[in-house]
Amino acid sequence: MTAPVIALVDDDRNILTSVSIALQAEGFVTRLYPDGSSALRALSDNPADLGVFDIKMPGMDGLSLLSSLRASGGAAAAMPVIFLTSKDEEQDEAHGLAAGADDYIAKPFSQRLLIARIRAILRRADMARATVPADSDDVAAAIIERGRLSLDPARHQVLWAGRPVTLTVTEFLILETLAQRPGVVKNRNQLLDVAYQEDVFVDDRTIDSHIKRIRRKFRAADPQFDAIETLYGVGYRFSDG
């Protein structure tokens, strides 16, 4: 089994070195980038399995780096990313999630906590890319068709009215959960259970940020998209009508 590749992007070389050593000791392969521009050039052509980006960097910061990767349309567009944010900077966290990050962790941080979150997100990525039997009937059965929505978990592929929509691992799992049972309301905690393993702690409002990003991506393909409904004070549901 190939070791997961983690891209570390930070202008602080001490953090790059110490985190890289810790990750390599856990069996990961690391690529180190001291700035956003060099990371963008490298990751656009050869994405890692997961990126850990500092938000505040001179030149191209982490937010701009992630936005560029998400807009690339290639394999890098769906690469899971964890942001390193400034302590107590809630704006950093909100902006990171809005830009398409899968998680965030505040500096100074525990390397054990960072490794736990990396493992949790990689497990989610494995779930989203879970293989199905090669038989064509089995592959077809695994695809979820709901109205204009088509979800293919084996290929991590999403289509809306035939148009591709690129989602992160977290976004895909949330949408898949809602689409599996149209009309059934899922509250934030239920969606958190799907999107985050129990060793990763996030505020339940994080789900709201993910839902907003999912809607925004679908509305780029179809401005009239309204299949994800909000029931205020209750949760969310998918409508395939």
Side-chain angles (χ1 to χ4, degrees):
M1 181 170 144
T2 305
V5 177
I6 311 300
L8 304 176
V9 188
D10 200 308
D11 61 318
D12 187 327
R13 292 187 178 275
N14 291 329
I15 289 179
L16 283 180
T17 301
S18 62
V19 173
S20 178
I21 291 172
L23 289 175
Q24 289 176 17
E26 294 292 323
F28 296 102
V29 174
T30 58
R31 299 185 202 154
L32 311 184
Y33 304 100
D35 57 76
S37 297
S38 62
L40 178 61
R41 289 192 297 270
L43 296 174
S44 295
D45 295 329
N46 186 20
D49 293 298
L50 182 143
V52 179
F53 300 170
D54 184 25
I55 282 190
K56 295 187 183 300
M57 294 184 290
M60 175 176 279
D61 62 15
L63 289 169
S64 299
L65 170 60
L66 181 56
S67 295
S68 296
L69 290 173
R70 291 286 185 253
S72 68
M79 184 179 72
V81 168
I82 297 174
F83 265 137
L84 301 179
T85 69
S86 301
K87 186 177 181 181
D88 298 328
E89 285 289 338
E90 293 184 4
Q91 287 283 62
D92 281 352
E93 297 166 0
H95 291 160
L97 290 174
D102 290 84
D103 209 338
Y104 56 82
I105 185 169
K107 292 181 178 181
F109 57 89
S110 157
Q111 291 185 351
R112 285 186 60 190
L113 176 60
L114 176 60
I115 291 169
R117 294 195 177 189
I118 288 173
R119 292 194 186 282
I121 290 176
L122 289 176
R123 282 198 298 271
R124 301 205 311 271
D126 288 341
M127 289 170 59
R129 293 192 299 262
T131 57
V132 296
D135 180 84
S136 60
D137 291 336
D138 290 333
V139 171
I143 296 174
I144 299 172
E145 302 280 357
R146 299 288 186 267
R148 286 171 286 177
L149 176 69
S150 175
L151 282 175
D152 186 346
R155 296 177 177 83
H156 192 75
Q157 184 180 70
V158 183
L159 300 176
W160 180 259
R163 298 178 180 178
V165 179
T166 302
L167 300 182
T168 66
V169 172
T170 303
E171 293 164 355
F172 189 98
L173 290 173
I174 290 171
L175 179 61
E176 182 182 20
T177 299
L178 292 172
Q180 283 173 338
R181 300 187 65 189
V184 175
V185 179
K186 296 288 185 179
N187 62 40
R188 292 186 184 90
N189 287 334
Q190 289 172 316
L191 294 175
L192 279 174
D193 288 342
V194 171
Y196 292 91
Q197 298 292 326
E198 61 185 16
D199 55 359
V200 178
F201 301 97
V202 294
D203 187 275
D204 62 0
R205 293 290 175 177
T206 298
I207 292 297
D208 298 343
S209 296
H210 288 308
I211 293 290
K212 288 178 182 177
R213 282 165 34 209
I214 294 170
R215 285 173 171 155
R216 184 166 63 244
K217 290 180 177 182
F218 274 90
R219 285 171 182 161
D222 176 7
Q224 304 304 314
F225 175 82
D226 61 357
I228 298 178
E229 301 177 358
T230 301
L231 279 77
Y232 292 99
V234 182
Y236 298 97
R237 69 183 174 195
F238 184 85
S239 171
D240 59 357

